[in-house]
Amino acid sequence: LLRITAIGYQNRLGLSGLECMDGIPGTVGGGILEYRSELECRAVLESGLPSRRAYSLAGRQAPGEDIGAICGGSAVVDFRPIDAEDARALLEGMPRPPRLLLYGAGHVAKALADALHLIDLPVIVTDEREGLLTETRFPYAERRLYKLTDAPMDPEPQDMIAIMTHGHAYDYELLRRAMDTEARYIGVMASRVKAALFRKRLAEAGIPDEDAARRVHCPIGLAIRAETPEEIAVSVTAELIAHMRSN
């Protein structure tokens, strides 16, 4: 195994991944930088000696070897062989990635769970409708839970919550409980009328308007005029990505 760290690429520090003989789980940016890094990885695997390479991503305008990239900036990539034990320790020392607690198993929830699989965002799906919340419909779910009344809700600060059940009463109760957690993102599928009603009820429950406005994304998703479940899933996925990248 090799540990790869790229520094200074497009103003991002600490971009890292793991390279192994069977493939590359992770990336240092793709394109020619990825290709040249893979070649160097294999050379280091053969020699067993660590290496550091500097690559210019802006021709002669930046330090490092010119690899024909015009993205801007530069990258310094460290290649270090590590054994399986060190790799395991490295992975265990990394913070747990965010996950989505998804309440609801309808058409949009299924499309959203499928979309989030493409960006490797773990999803825990909760719904009382066992006929909908099946392994066939949600093959990528990390867990499937079958209780909406007093449903489990234990997010860590890096986690996110999306609420889209089959009942407005469930939606509001879950939203109210979500406000008492440290979840970094709370989204609720709703019309503008429903969103306004929920904001009013939160205020009546003693939650300041500014707190609700800051934490709750309702209606959930970016405003891209999405109509179908799949389009709505794209808008929600994009909003989740934007939120993760901006925080």
Side-chain angles (χ1 to χ4, degrees):
L1 293 174
L2 298 174
R3 181 182 183 183
I4 308 171
T5 304
I7 305 175
Y9 174 46
Q10 295 181 346
N11 297 320
R12 294 167 63 186
L13 299 179
L15 186 64
S16 64
L18 289 175
E19 150 88 9
C20 67
M21 291 298 288
D22 295 328
I24 308 176
T27 177
V28 293
I32 186 65
L33 176 62
E34 189 88 41
Y35 175 68
R36 293 295 295 271
S37 295
E38 183 179 353
L39 293 179
E40 184 66 15
C41 277
R42 299 192 181 283
V44 170
L45 279 172
E46 291 179 4
S47 69
L49 300 176
S51 171
R52 168 174 286 190
R53 300 296 298 270
Y55 300 108
S56 169
L57 307 177
R60 298 180 179 178
Q61 304 298 317
E65 178 186 351
D66 183 359
I67 57 176
I70 58 173
C71 304
S74 60
V76 177
V77 186
D78 289 316
F79 305 85
R80 179 169 62 88
I82 57 177
D83 59 26
E85 183 177 348
D86 288 341
R88 190 178 302 109
L90 175 66
L91 292 172
E92 291 176 351
M94 293 180 176
R96 182 179 64 73
R99 61 184 179 179
L100 180 74
L101 277 60
L102 175 57
Y103 295 90
H107 300 304
V108 175
K110 176 189 166 22
L112 178 59
D114 289 345
L116 296 182
H117 173 67
L118 297 177
I119 62 170
D120 294 323
L121 183 64
V123 179
I124 297 175
V125 188
T126 301
D127 199 301
E128 63 185 7
R129 298 170 292 176
E130 297 184 11
L132 291 180
L133 185 48
T134 64
E135 183 176 1
T136 300
R137 293 190 75 242
F138 291 88
Y140 308 119
E142 184 176 277
R143 281 189 288 162
R144 291 177 292 277
L145 305 175
Y146 298 92
K147 185 179 181 182
L148 281 177
T149 302
D150 298 324
M153 184 179 289
D154 57 348
E156 295 184 21
Q158 70 268 35
D159 293 333
M160 299 171 287
I161 294 174
I163 301 168
M164 48 185 70
T165 77
H166 58 295
H168 298 327
Y170 283 137
D171 287 348
Y172 176 74
E173 180 58 29
L174 290 165
L175 170 60
R176 179 66 186 85
R177 291 178 55 203
M179 293 296 292
D180 291 331
T181 73
E182 296 183 2
R184 64 186 294 177
Y185 171 98
I186 302 169
V188 183
M189 191 163 68
S191 66
R192 296 190 183 280
V193 173
K194 177 179 174 179
L197 176 60
F198 278 13
R199 286 193 295 270
K200 179 181 178 182
R201 292 187 64 184
L202 288 176
E204 292 172 348
I207 297 175
D209 289 342
E210 55 269 24
D211 287 355
R214 175 176 57 85
R215 298 193 64 198
V216 180
H217 299 256
C218 183
I220 194 172
L222 299 182
I224 60 171
R225 299 186 179 183
E227 295 182 357
T228 68
E230 292 75 18
E231 291 171 350
I232 297 171
V234 168
S235 78
V236 176
T237 300
E239 184 172 71
L240 293 173
I241 293 171
H243 186 80
M244 289 188 291
R245 294 290 182 264
S246 63
N247 290 272

